[in-house]
């Protein structure tokens, strides 16, 4: 992750909390505490988690008060068990309390995405499958790159970052362009180095996409039998991605087929934050 990106995200998040003011002026509750009071904040996780968000926490502490000292006992991608200490922060009590919520918001949200991804990846491995788990663009607005990074921390792969780095030609694109062949041909002309993926809903569309020379075909809501047939038709000429409500147990049936990819929107859109807690003590 690029530091300027993290700096901007943290700055926006703190501005929401502080109404664009400094930490000293914007946190009226922290003003109840003497400015010279020193403290230690110890953050634990109350549940199993794959950690993600270390640099967001560090940046939050730095922007609130550069004198805060953070000591980590885990790194991004590490497994954390219930009641495990993740980090401690030392310094002015006011600053720690001002930074606490923003820092934990980042850490619990990104760790949630990493943890969910990890669970899917582990289940695929347990099945003996070679299928790769992909994310989607169904991310929390403003957290696209952060959540994509969290997916990788959890062992998954990024589908595409946005609308700029790969083609995903869907139903409406196909209709507007005049057909699969026309859409793919135009994409090849405009950006010959970009990956081209086409979403198909029928066997005939699959054949058209393969003949057009795409790299990946997304099988939209194909059932298991249709997916097996798609593998036969593709015969290794294109990679296949199973997609469509793959959350929960459904994805296992497709993983057993060893499709190349399964994309799961729930990795980033159905985020249930990891339960974290800061234990605060004065020095």
């Amino acid at each position: 992750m690029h530091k300027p990106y993290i700096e901007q995200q943290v700055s926006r998040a703190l501005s929401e909390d502080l109404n664009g003011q400094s930490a000293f002026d914007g946190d009226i509750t922290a003003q109840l505490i003497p400015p010279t009071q020193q403290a230690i904040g110890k953050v634990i996780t109350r549940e199993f988690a794959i950690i993600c968000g270390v640099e967001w926490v560090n940046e939050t502490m730095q922007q609130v008060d550069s004198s805060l000292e953070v000591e980590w006992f885990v790194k991004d991608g590490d497994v954390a068990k219930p009641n495990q200490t993740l980090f401690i922060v030392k310094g002015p009590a006011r600053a720690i309390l001002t930074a606490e919520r923003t820092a934990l918001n980042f850490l619990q949200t990104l760790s949630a995405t990493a943890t969910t991804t990890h669970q899917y990846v582990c289940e695929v491995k347990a099945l003996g499958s070679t299928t790769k788990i992909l994310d989607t663009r169904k991310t929390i607005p403003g957290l696209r790159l952060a959540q994509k990074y969290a997916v990788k921390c959890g062992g998954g792969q990024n589908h595409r970052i946005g609308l700029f780095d790969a083609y995903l030609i869907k139903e409406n694109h196909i209709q507007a362009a005049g057909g699969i062949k026309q859409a793919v041909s135009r994409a090849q002309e405009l950006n010959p180095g970009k990956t081209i993926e086409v979403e198909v809903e029928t066997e005939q569309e699959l054949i058209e996409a393969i003949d057009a020379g795409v790299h990946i075909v997304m099988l939209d809501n194909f059932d298991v039998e249709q997916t097996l047939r798609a593998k036969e038709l593709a015969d290794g000429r294109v990679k296949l991605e199973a997609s469509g409500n793959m959350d929960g147990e459904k994805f296992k049936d497709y993983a057993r087929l060893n499709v190349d990819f399964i994309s799961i929107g729930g990795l980033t859109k159905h985020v249930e934050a990891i339960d974290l807690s800061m234990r605060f003590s004065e020095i």
Side-chain angles (χ1 to χ4, degrees), residues 100-269:
E100 174 187 2
R101 186 68 269 150
T102 296
L104 295 192
N105 281 348
F106 280 117
L107 188 61
Q108 68 186 17
T109 301
L110 299 182
S111 294
T113 291
T115 302
T116 300
T117 304
H118 172 80
Q119 291 167 345
Y120 278 106
V121 169
C122 286
E123 292 194 37
V124 167
K125 289 181 179 178
L127 293 170
S129 173
T130 58
T131 297
K132 305 300 182 184
I133 299 298
L134 299 180
D135 54 25
T136 71
R137 287 173 49 243
K138 297 173 183 176
T139 53
I140 298 172
L143 285 181
R144 170 68 56 79
L145 290 181
Q147 285 194 292
K148 292 279 188 177
Y149 170 71
V151 166
K152 297 194 75 172
C153 285
Q157 295 186 6
N158 297 149
H159 190 281
R160 56 175 178 160
I161 301 303
L163 297 172
F164 59 91
D165 56 328
Y167 284 100
L168 179 49
I169 303 170
K170 294 192 171 189
E171 177 185 8
N172 290 335
H173 300 106
I174 293 168
Q175 183 176 358
I180 290 175
K181 181 179 179 180
Q182 292 88 335
V184 172
S185 178
R186 184 62 175 152
Q188 292 167 335
E189 292 173 6
L190 290 172
N191 291 287
K194 299 291 187 182
T195 297
I196 301 176
E197 179 171 2
V198 170
E199 178 187 68
V200 303
E201 298 180 349
T202 67
E203 185 175 300
Q204 180 57 41
E205 289 180 345
L206 169 63
I207 294 170
E208 290 179 28
I210 294 171
D211 290 343
V214 304
H215 302 99
I216 307 171
V217 174
M218 178 188 288
L219 307 174
D220 183 35
N221 287 302
F222 274 43
D223 62 26
V224 170
E225 290 185 2
Q226 289 172 317
T227 303
L228 275 172
R229 175 62 176 159
K231 286 191 67 177
E232 293 175 1
L233 290 170
D235 194 26
R237 290 177 291 168
V238 297
K239 293 186 180 298
L240 298 178
E241 174 188 336
S243 178
N245 299 313
M246 289 290 172
D247 300 345
E249 295 294 313
K250 179 181 176 182
F251 87 101
K252 291 183 181 180
D253 293 332
Y254 294 83
R256 290 187 182 97
L257 301 179
N258 282 318
V259 292
D260 297 288
F261 308 110
I262 296 176
S263 56
I264 303 174
L267 301 181
T268 52
K269 70 173 181 175

